[in-house]
Amino acid sequence: MKHLPLLKEAQKHAPAGEYRNTELIRYRSFRNTYGQSPLTACALAQKAWFENFPVYVYECDRIAGSRRGNYVENADPLELKRAGAICGSYGYLGFWTNSDHFAPGYDRFLKEGIRGTMARIDSSLLVHREEPEKVEFLTAMKTVLTGFSAFVRRHADAAREAASRTDDPACEAELLSLADDLDFAAWEAPVTFRQALNLVWLVHLSFLFQNKYAMAFGRIDQYLLPHYEHDIEAGILTPEDAEDLIACCFIKIVEYGNSDVVNICIGGVTPAGEEGINDLSYRVLHAVRDCNVPGPNLSARLHEGMPDRFLDECLQVIGTGLGYPALMNDRVNIPALKRHGYSLEDARDYCFVGCIENFIPGKQPAWSDGRFNVPQFLEAVFYRGTSALDPDYLGLDTGALEDMETMEDFLGAFEKQIAFAAGEYVTIFNNENGRYNYRHYAQPFMSLFCDDCIARGEDINCGGARYPSVHGACGMGIATVADSLAAVEKVVYLDRACTLTELRDAMAADFKGYEPLRARLQNVVKYGNNDDFVDKYAVWYVEFLDRVFAQYHTRDGGDFYTAIASNTQSVSAGHITGATPDGRHAGVPLSDAASPTYGMDKNGPTSAFLSLCKPDYRLVSCGTVVNQKYTPDMLTDPVKRAALRAAIQVYFSQGGQEVQINCVSRETLKDAMAHPENYADLVVRVSGFSAYFTGLGRDVQEDILHRTEHADIH
């Protein structure tokens, strides 16, 4: 790797100042457009940013573009304050209002280039010339695209300037070649791999400075493949050189810390259903390994008939300690998406945004989701609509516990609590999501990368996207719930060892004075051990959540997906959730995402996998997170790795949706907690993302430490 180490070192020296130059540039533009419509004023402000933002190219750069220009030194405090007020007056969309977590349609953009995209806008302007609102929006798109073209060209000038400063002839030649590539890509459709990759990065960088978070790279091994193959065939690129270019791009994601979650997808089938794993897939995988940072959130799509080598190399990269790629199952995700009305070709072309969220790139509005604390609704059954720890929660009064004579009665009350909470959740979301006049918050730059915004002359959130917006309700604590329901059935209804009222009193006391009862509850078989007595409740959980949310729609007619995921919020949600019937103490973390409760999957990873694939995850269209932990040798020893690979393949063939793996030993984690100064570069898989372990909160570190650690496959 020739350039990556140089770039890593160069990026360590961040400039001082406030990170607000973008705001200043926009404000100075707004001063000249007072009285104009918000759409036109904001488009001109974006163009001004493209034309005035201080661009920066490192002397060792192969990929142009840096966040350095957003740092402003010695700014006038009054101007900064005024800039914040005026920019704020135009408003910002947020995560719940379809502003970010989007996968741009890079495939089409690279095929057409800026010239071809501009030609489509001009054609649409002719079609809609008698429709003033559409003319204004298309003109705004043209304005920001003109600005972006200038932005690319300005990076070409910066590369030439950097070339004039260097004393290294090799760097000078590289920078001059980079400048030529940028000049070409500033208007024409990119031909070479470096032209295409630079264009993608500069688009992504542009989104970052529009307050867009978790913007995905999508299926990079598909849309860059024609450029890669062109260069390999022409003899102007080697696979190793391509890896260096990709790594130099990815390392820029963490130029100023791990402050973004950029999901990158490799593998899977093509839209035509053919093999999508190619040589570029491996180059991306190797580049991520070489970067060795938590920033690129790599996801690998696995499918039937794929080469064993792909999964094996994925496991080897995971085995470095990075904890990614996350492994995703095409056999589940494609039908999960198809049921929502996407064409088969588009469903096959899915990628991921944020952590693990399934997304159709370039054809739907930006993603949104939220957490749905199902264990708290179980609490509400016992406390007649309230929570033991959360004073703000109010559900339904589902009646006296004494009247719940059968398990069916109890489960029916729980279902009423969930249904009520889902209705409230949807109402709050739709009220927030639907309160805006989206024409006043139009996003012409994002709309450039979404079909069919240009053809329709409409914003991505105003009917321009081919498909409507969707929202994911992330069901939390599936194992906490399954274990609790199994405990209620066994201890209360089958063994008659206590009544529901006695169980409630024990939970209210956090089991103090009820230790024998807690022990009995804990001894009931737990989810993750391939026992249908408890696993049936995980099956019910997935089916019931889908049934409840399927009746609702977003403001523009899209669906509510479900997910079985929690990010790190299984910890914070546990803080406000009282003791549960599985014997869990009040305030401790809920079970993590779709995983068994840590320490309760006692029969090994095979039994855990068999439990995990029983729910029908084709009903979970957003996605799931299953965290597993293995000793490092499970991924470094070829024989043990082959056994793990076979287990994952069986798990996916039986309906598992996702799995991600940590392989940092328990001893290493403990030592890192005791001596963080020695582990600044230790990366672990947290939930749907990886992070530096020593930068995590103590409660999250403890949660990772307590995950069940497997040393073999049995």
Side-chain angles (χ1 to χ4, degrees), residues 15 21 28 46 101 215 231 248 257 279 320 363 413 422 463 573 599 670:
N21 207 18
R28 291 164 183 165
Q46 182 61 38
H101 287 66
M215 301 293 286
D231 288 6
C248 286
D279 192 54
T320 65
K363 290 177 181 174
K670 286 181 177 179

Side-chain angles (χ1 to χ4, degrees), residues 342-354:
Y342 304 114
S343 71
L344 178 58
E345 292 77 12
D346 286 342
R348 286 171 173 161
D349 201 34
Y350 78 98
C351 64
F352 312 91
V353 295

Side-chain angles (χ1 to χ4, degrees), residues 22-35:
T22 291
E23 198 172 60
L24 279 175
I25 295 170
R26 293 180 72 237
Y27 163 63
R28 291 164 183 165
S29 174
F30 286 140
R31 287 171 63 90
N32 299 312
T33 59
Y34 291 150

Side-chain angles (χ1 to χ4, degrees), residues 600-619:
M600 295 296 105
D601 45 341
K602 299 179 183 298
N603 293 339
T606 300
S607 290
F609 276 143
L610 290 171
S611 286
L612 288 163
C613 64
K614 288 178 184 178
D616 186 357
Y617 280 111
R618 292 172 299 179
L619 301 175

Side-chain angles (χ1 to χ4, degrees), residues 8 10 37 50 102 140 152 160 170 187 198 236 254 256 259 295 303 308-309 364 419 485 518 534 595 610 664 667 675:
K8 273 187 171 182
S37 73
F50 281 129
F102 175 70
V152 178
R160 289 194 179 90
W187 187 242
N198 267 280
I236 60 175
V254 294
Y256 286 97
S259 58
H303 57 277
D308 284 346
R309 175 195 168 195
Q364 66 180 103
L485 292 175
R518 180 173 184 254
V534 59
S595 310
L610 290 171
V664 180
E667 291 71 24
H675 306 285

Side-chain angles (χ1 to χ4, degrees), residues 630-670:
Y630 291 90
T631 54
D633 66 328
M634 284 295 298
L635 291 106
T636 56
D637 182 292
V639 175
K640 290 186 175 183
R641 189 172 65 246
L644 177 57
R645 185 179 71 236
I648 291 171
Q649 289 172 321
V650 171
Y651 165 58
F652 273 15
S653 72
Q654 297 299 310
Q657 188 172 25
E658 190 264 8
V659 67
Q660 53 197 34
I661 296 168
N662 250 322
C663 64
V664 180
S665 71
R666 192 180 305 279
E667 291 71 24
T668 299
L669 295 177
K670 286 181 177 179

Side-chain angles (χ1 to χ4, degrees), residues 524-659:
V524 177
V525 64
K526 298 294 187 279
Y527 184 52
N529 295 289
N530 191 28
D531 192 311
D532 285 339
F533 183 78
V534 59
D535 293 352
K536 68 177 181 286
Y537 288 115
V539 173
W540 163 85
Y541 182 109
V542 166
E543 291 177 349
F544 188 73
L545 253 61
D546 174 69
R547 196 184 327 149
V548 167
F549 280 100
Q551 62 188 306
Y552 298 112
H553 297 284
T554 60
R555 61 175 170 81
D556 54 350
D559 290 340
F560 277 82
Y561 291 178
T562 56
I564 311 299
S566 58
N567 211 321
T568 60
Q569 288 171 296
S570 57
V571 177
S572 57
H575 290 165
I576 60 169
T577 305
T580 42
D582 58 343
R584 171 190 153 275
H585 276 302
V588 304
L590 306 177
S591 62
D592 176 54
S595 310
T597 301
Y598 296 149
M600 295 296 105
D601 45 341
K602 299 179 183 298
N603 293 339
T606 300
S607 290
F609 276 143
L610 290 171
S611 286
L612 288 163
C613 64
K614 288 178 184 178
D616 186 357
Y617 280 111
R618 292 172 299 179
L619 301 175
V620 181
S621 303
C622 172
T624 58
V625 172
V626 171
N627 279 306
Q628 287 203 327
K629 192 172 189 303
Y630 291 90
T631 54
D633 66 328
M634 284 295 298
L635 291 106
T636 56
D637 182 292
V639 175
K640 290 186 175 183
R641 189 172 65 246
L644 177 57
R645 185 179 71 236
I648 291 171
Q649 289 172 321
V650 171
Y651 165 58
F652 273 15
S653 72
Q654 297 299 310
Q657 188 172 25
E658 190 264 8
V659 67

